[in-house]
Amino acid sequence: GNSVTQMEGPVTLSEEAFLTINCTYTATGYPSLFWYVQYPGEGLQLLLKATKADDKGSNKGFEATYRKETTSFHLEKGSVQVSDSAVYFCALIGGSNYKLTFGKGTLLTVNP
Amino acid sequence: DAGVIQSPRHEVTEMGQEVTLRCKPISGHNSLFWYRQTMMRGLELLIYFNNNVPIDDSGMPEDRFSAKMPNASFSTLKIQPSEPRDSAVYFCASSPGRAQTEAFFGQGTRLTVV
């Protein structure tokens, strides 16, 4: 079945530091890949997505590239801000499966 | 658009009581999902509706849980009787198509069963 593995947190960074959150997946066929963000006390919001190999999703300074050869979709940001503090979820939809399969989430805390 | 609206935001109830969670999806979206989030199990899909019809309820943990979608603008998730292990944040999400792409989540209902 489909599965998503993302790096365990928590991740604590200083403002303006470089961020990487690793995500790898297992899926049949050619899945679509997503990063969702959950700010404290809120629901999940779509951050970015990529639907085919080598696509790069980007939004709000975050980027992730769909790497089929390594089955990865790592999230990166060059300079994090305090307001980026949140839980980040990697997710996929694979093949004919309509279900979003989520990773366990990574808590990011950015200190001033 | 106001987004997906869930009520209540917080619910505290005693073990054995009935709990009903409510969701109003985004207008025009024809897919609706109920998720449960806990520290131990992360995000779990409980049930999925398409055009108001339950398509997959394999994630519903047991018979104490039931969900309905009487029309395109309203859904409920009911737990009866509630147990302390049901304590979690319950999210409703909707999406415009059959495939669960770009799901839009509500702010969730934090349920505490004491």
Side-chain angles (χ1 to χ4, degrees), chain B residues 7-70:
Chain B
S7 64
R9 290 293 309 275
H10 303 274
E11 177 79 34
V12 180
T13 190
E14 292 185 348
M15 182 174 62
Q17 296 298 306
E18 176 182 301
V19 176
T20 298
L21 312 181
R22 297 172 176 80
C23 174
K24 176 179 169 56
I26 293 173
S27 177
H29 284 191
N30 59 9
S31 294
L32 184 139
F33 309 85
W34 282 100
Y35 284 89
R36 178 171 67 177
Q37 185 180 36
T38 61
M39 289 294 292
M40 291 297 294
R41 301 173 71 93
L43 272 165
E44 303 173 275
L45 178 63
L46 301 178
I47 187 168
Y48 158 58
F49 291 88
N50 183 251
N51 291 325
N52 312 337
V53 176
I55 302 300
D56 184 352
D57 64 355
S58 60
M60 297 285 263
E62 49 197 275
D63 291 345
R64 297 185 297 107
F65 286 70
S66 63
K68 294 182 180 180
M69 192 165 185

Side-chain angles (χ1 to χ4, degrees), chain A residues 32 34 36 38 41-46 49 87 89 93 98-100 102-104, chain B residues 9 35 37 40-41 43 45 48 56 58 91 98-103 105-107:
Chain A
S32 294
F34 307 86
Y36 278 80
Q38 184 178 28
E42 298 186 11
L44 279 71
Q45 303 173 26
L46 180 67
K49 69 176 182 179
V87 180
F89 292 89
I93 296 175
Y98 57 81
K99 297 179 184 180
L100 258 177
F102 284 94
K104 291 191 176 296
Chain B
R9 290 293 309 275
Y35 284 89
Q37 185 180 36
M40 291 297 294
R41 301 173 71 93
L43 272 165
L45 178 63
Y48 158 58
D56 184 352
S58 60
F91 288 104
R98 180 174 178 84
Q100 194 183 354
T101 58
E102 299 190 57
F105 282 74
Q107 290 192 301

Side-chain angles (χ1 to χ4, degrees), chain A residues 10-91:
Chain A
V11 174
T12 302
L13 297 174
S14 298
E15 206 164 23
E16 301 183 1
F18 184 85
L19 168 71
T20 299
I21 300 178
N22 290 335
C23 171
T24 57
Y25 66 89
T26 301
T28 56
Y30 301 93
S32 294
L33 302 174
F34 307 86
W35 277 100
Y36 278 80
V37 58
Q38 184 178 28
Y39 298 104
E42 298 186 11
L44 279 71
Q45 303 173 26
L46 180 67
L47 181 60
L48 54 84
K49 69 176 182 179
T51 58
K52 61 182 187 295
D54 299 325
D55 268 2
K56 177 184 286 187
S58 61
N59 186 26
K60 300 181 180 180
F62 291 89
E63 294 183 337
T65 301
Y66 189 144
R67 301 288 188 198
K68 188 166 178 63
E69 63 275 15
T70 55
T71 62
S72 66
F73 193 55
H74 304 322
L75 182 68
E76 296 182 337
K77 186 174 185 181
S79 176
V80 294
Q81 305 300 311
V82 172
S83 57
D84 294 327
S85 299
V87 180
Y88 293 81
F89 292 89
C90 186

